[in-house]
Amino acid sequence: MSIVEETARARPAVPAHPLETFTAVPAHGAPPRPVRPRARPAPPPETGPGAAPGSGQQAAGRTPTVRERVAELDGLRAAVEAGPGPGATEAQHAKGKLTARERLALLFDEGSFTEVEPFRRHRATGFGLEAKRPHTDGVVTGWGLVDGRRVFAYAHDFRIFGGALGEAHAQKIHKIMDMAESAGAPLVGLCDGAGARIQEGVTALAGYGGIFRRNVRNSGVIPQISVLLGPCAGGAAYSPALTDFVFMVRGTAQMFITGPDVVRAVTGEDITHEALGGADAHATASGVAHFAYDDEETCLDEVRYLLSLLPANNRELPPAAGEADPVDRRCEGLAGLVPADPARSYDMRAVIEEIADDGELFEVHEGWATNVVCALVRLGGEVAGVVANQPASLAGVLDIHASEKAARFVQMCDAFNIPLVTLVDVPGFLPGVGQEHGGVIRHGAKLLYAYCNATVPRISVVLRKAYGGAYIVMDSLSIGADLALAWPVNEIAVMGAEGAAGVVFRREIAASADPEATRAERIEEYRRALMHPYYAAERGLVDDVIDPAETRSRIIDALAAFRSKHAPLPSRKHGNQPQ
């Protein structure tokens, strides 16, 4: 007999005990009034050690006891947690992948996970679905603690329907997303699914629509992190693209709108799943993935670390840490890291490591658009976002991809109350027909818009060169930086001295008996007049020129000064930012 049938049976009458009557005597001499006798319930049958044999078993026509129901519940829960069977688990492990529950165990603090709707099953019929109704419907949802802080999550279970999304599956994800929004806590999606459940038709597609709508509604409200640990194809790929961060594991995670077979049929191009939509493809070529790792354990450990740098929601500040690294530590090594010659290259990461607490930085989009560095660091124990030109890649110029990368990072930091530090060493925007026709103006405007719209504390430091429109875009004082500092080797100008002299003194150089000598003289003249280290400071475009060794302490002091900054935006529905 099923559980539903058993609980639907009428309860048998409780045997009556002898009734006792008595009379209550009220105060003030009122006449006695009879008291209604009460029936005493029969004691429950004995169970457990010492009980009569068979006394705890369910007899026909008898309602099971609470203990019996609890034992039944424990057995059912154990079966749900075990999953569809050892064969399915072995097949998952054979692909180099963990199960959904193994992944959640790595994500959350030990023993802290609370599951929601473990007994949910689909109600679809047709194509044999009515005979296959596993619990959880292929997705595990709930919440737990990450370093003691509440986080909500859902994890596709590839062992059940290949993790494909159906109506019940989608409703479970909708519910946990709504819970995360109500609780004001981060949401992590562990993705390993085969897309929409074809047998359920358009109902499955509507389920994706509900996920996308909630992704957008929660954008900038709670941190949303997508972790791709298996396939994510078709419409399913849009949800990770709408979240704040995307993690992928090499060799097992793939994400694409149309797979290799469709590409081959339509275009004739022959490509593998990994080359088309693998972790490295999205981490270096498309920019869809922010992080790529070799195994799930490392990936999920890095997700935990990222969460330690983010606030629970947009109404809170990022969690602070202890100040193990002295705030007033001088960075004497910076003078040796950055050459005074603006034409010489160096690695901006080394500069950031010198400035940051304990030399630690968490770089975002490390493999994509490498001519700009975006990283989360701690300065004086407080989280800050760093945007910096990278002279070691394309001389640090801004181009289409670098502008998009930096703009997205600036918007994320602003949304979650993370102050911004901009380290400037930029020769300009990358010239070329491909850049112009690709829309470098439109994409560059994204970064400009992001900075102008940001209301968090913003500190900029010009290390060496800052030329033309790129100087303005890299959070100059004119677009709203709260404090602009510069090193004594800075060159802030419309363009480099060589190019400027070629324009301003073109006719004189051409008419000279020794054009090269004249050109060299005019370049030096222009540099002395308009590009000396104090030209911008004299005009209030730089607030101070500082010793590079003081960079760390000056930035930390400025961030502390502007921590309570209030910069209200005009009343509007939203801006119409460049796309």
Side-chain angles (χ1 to χ4, degrees):
M1 184 179 296
S2 69
I3 297 173
V4 175
E5 290 172 336
E6 291 177 4
T7 55
R9 294 179 62 89
R11 295 179 179 271
V14 178
H17 280 249
L19 304 181
E20 296 178 348
T21 59
F22 63 94
T23 301
V25 179
H28 308 297
R33 61 180 178 83
V35 176
R36 183 177 177 181
R38 298 180 181 179
R40 295 177 180 172
E46 295 182 6
T47 59
S55 61
Q57 298 177 356
Q58 297 181 18
R62 183 179 65 77
T63 301
T65 67
V66 173
R67 289 187 177 90
E68 289 168 349
R69 284 303 193 194
V70 169
E72 182 182 55
L73 170 63
D74 291 342
L76 181 59
R77 191 180 300 278
V80 170
E81 293 178 355
T89 300
E90 290 172 5
Q92 181 82 345
H93 290 166
K95 298 174 184 176
K97 300 195 296 182
L98 301 175
T99 66
R101 295 182 186 278
E102 289 170 341
R103 291 162 174 166
L104 290 168
L106 289 174
L107 175 65
F108 290 117
D109 298 347
E110 184 176 357
S112 70
F113 180 64
T114 299
E115 188 170 355
V116 175
E117 291 194 321
F119 305 125
R120 185 70 181 266
R121 299 196 291 183
H122 73 76
R123 56 185 179 181
T125 58
F127 305 102
L129 283 179
E130 61 273 9
K132 300 176 181 178
R133 301 180 63 233
H135 291 100
T136 73
D137 202 45
V139 63
V140 182
T141 61
W143 66 78
L145 302 178
V146 176
D147 294 326
R149 301 169 67 219
R150 189 78 56 197
V151 174
F152 288 71
Y154 64 87
H156 297 138
D157 192 340
F158 194 82
R159 301 172 300 168
I160 299 176
F161 296 127
L165 181 138
E167 179 190 35
H169 183 122
Q171 288 175 352
K172 287 184 66 175
I173 296 177
H174 296 168
K175 177 179 285 189
I176 208 66
M177 295 178 78
D178 292 341
M179 286 181 172
E181 179 184 359
S182 298
L187 176 72
V188 178
L190 306 182
C191 305
D192 184 8
R197 194 174 300 168
I198 299 173
Q199 299 94 323
E200 295 195 29
V202 71
T203 305
L205 296 180
Y208 276 123
I211 294 173
F212 302 157
R213 178 165 57 87
R214 287 168 173 82
N215 284 140
V216 173
R217 188 174 68 201
N218 290 327
S219 180
V221 178
I222 57 173
Q224 299 180 82
I225 300 173
S226 296
V227 187
L228 273 70
L229 305 164
C232 184
Y238 287 115
S239 179
L242 290 170
T243 58
D244 300 301
F245 299 97
V246 177
F247 289 72
M248 294 185 74
V249 173
R250 296 183 178 94
T252 58
Q254 293 100 34
M255 178 168 48
F256 35 68
I257 300 299
T258 55
D261 294 339
V262 176
V263 170
R264 188 180 303 110
V266 175
T267 69
E269 298 172 286
D270 194 7
I271 191 169
T272 66
H273 287 81
E274 190 70 16
L276 179 64
D280 286 327
H282 286 305
T284 61
S286 73
V288 174
H290 300 77
F291 309 96
Y293 299 99
D294 293 327
D295 58 82
E296 295 189 17
E297 291 83 358
T298 302
C299 180
L300 292 170
D301 190 54
E302 291 299 285
V303 172
R304 287 174 57 89
Y305 182 68
L306 173 59
L307 286 167
S308 74
L309 299 171
L310 300 175
N313 55 65
N314 64 342
R315 301 182 301 277
E316 298 182 7
L317 294 174
E323 299 178 3
D325 196 346
V327 172
D328 58 354
R329 172 174 59 82
R330 288 179 61 83
C331 303
E332 301 291 354
L334 288 177
L337 288 173
V338 181
D341 183 355
R344 290 183 58 190
S345 175
Y346 64 94
D347 189 351
M348 182 61 82
R349 291 189 189 90
V351 174
I352 300 173
E353 290 172 353
E354 183 72 17
I355 296 171
D357 287 1
D358 304 312
E360 292 185 359
L361 72 155
F362 191 69
E363 189 170 355
V364 179
H365 270 141
E366 181 179 357
W368 182 62
T370 56
N371 41 324
V372 67
V373 176
C374 298
L376 293 172
V377 303
R378 288 190 182 276
L379 291 165
E382 303 288 345
V383 178
V386 176
V387 179
N389 306 110
Q390 174 57 292
S393 177
L394 294 177
V397 297
L398 288 177
D399 61 3
I400 290 173
H401 288 162
S403 299
E404 285 187 320
K405 171 180 172 178
R408 175 78 170 174
F409 183 76
V410 168
Q411 288 179 156
M412 183 279 298
C413 289
D414 185 50
F416 294 114
N417 307 313
I418 300 173
L420 288 160
V421 176
T422 305
L423 304 180
V424 186
D425 192 346
V426 61
F429 279 92
L430 181 65
V433 175
Q435 287 290 307
E436 296 295 343
H437 289 183
V440 68
I441 297 173
R442 174 168 49 89
H443 294 287
K446 293 178 183 179
L447 180 54
L448 182 60
Y449 188 102
Y451 268 125
C452 290
N453 202 49
T455 60
V456 293
R458 292 155 50 189
I459 312 300
S460 68
V461 183
V462 178
L463 276 59
R464 284 193 317 189
K465 55 189 178 294
Y467 298 157
Y471 152 67
I472 300 173
V473 170
M474 289 296 292
D475 205 20
S476 62
L477 208 60
S478 61
I479 66 169
D482 295 299
L483 186 73
L485 305 173
W487 286 7
V489 292
N490 79 82
E491 290 185 355
I492 303 174
V494 175
M495 62 176 67
E498 292 79 4
V503 173
V504 176
F505 304 107
R506 181 178 65 254
R507 294 181 180 178
E508 179 182 349
I509 293 172
S512 173
D514 189 349
E516 288 304 317
T518 303
R519 177 182 177 82
E521 291 174 2
R522 295 298 176 255
I523 288 173
E524 186 59 29
E525 178 184 346
Y526 186 89
R527 180 174 284 114
R528 287 197 307 268
L530 300 177
M531 296 180 65
H532 62 81
Y534 307 100
Y535 184 84
E538 291 171 356
R539 287 154 181 78
L541 301 176
V542 167
D543 292 305
D544 198 4
V545 179
I546 64 172
D547 179 350
E550 299 175 354
T551 304
R552 169 180 163 83
S553 60
R554 292 295 297 269
I555 290 175
I556 293 174
D557 179 63
L559 291 176
F562 289 99
R563 187 164 295 139
S564 58
K565 173 185 174 181
H566 179 63
L569 293 172
S571 177
R572 61 184 177 187
K573 187 174 182 180
H574 58 73
N576 187 18
Q577 66 185 55
Q579 298 294 332

